[in-house]
Amino acid sequence: DLSTIKKCDKQEFSKTVKSGGSSTIIVEKLELICYPLDSKASAISLEIFNVETGSFRLIGEFQFCQKWSKLINQQILDYKKGH
């Protein structure tokens, strides 16, 4: 129920791996985090990608998180405008 959500953010967990003279950023996990209006309630975490439980490569998950966090936040704004 989005009427109980304050905002939704994309959260990325990554690490930097150095090899030779260069470094590479490895994304380990992507989540959508929905923060409730009630500050006493826990945030809702939707895991979209986890290198430990799935593929070792991102195949559209980053864009998926960006798209859905934007859509969810727009729905929250639209709901607030209507009430």
Side-chain angles (χ1 to χ4, degrees):
D1 181 7
L2 291 179
S3 67
T4 65
I5 302 297
K6 179 173 32 176
K7 69 176 182 171
C8 179
D9 288 332
K10 173 186 69 70
Q11 183 142 25
E12 177 182 323
F13 300 88
S14 59
K15 65 180 178 182
T16 302
V17 177
K18 295 183 180 182
S19 177
S22 65
S23 54
T24 304
I25 296 173
I26 306 292
V27 176
E28 295 181 318
K29 186 162 57 168
L30 287 173
E31 295 178 340
L32 286 175
I33 309 290
C34 295
Y35 298 96
L37 289 170
D38 180 358
S39 60
K40 294 178 184 176
S42 298
I44 300 165
S45 172
L46 303 168
E47 187 175 278
I48 305 302
F49 173 82
N50 188 331
V51 73
E52 292 181 7
T53 59
S55 171
F56 290 107
R57 295 185 330 145
L58 289 168
I59 306 171
E61 289 90 349
F62 191 81
Q63 293 83 357
F64 177 89
C65 283
Q66 288 179 317
K67 174 184 176 179
W68 280 97
S69 66
K70 184 178 177 181
L71 287 170
I72 290 169
N73 285 322
Q74 186 59 55
Q75 288 296 314
I76 292 168
L77 286 174
D78 291 347
Y79 176 80
K80 287 179 182 177
K81 287 178 186 175
H83 284 88

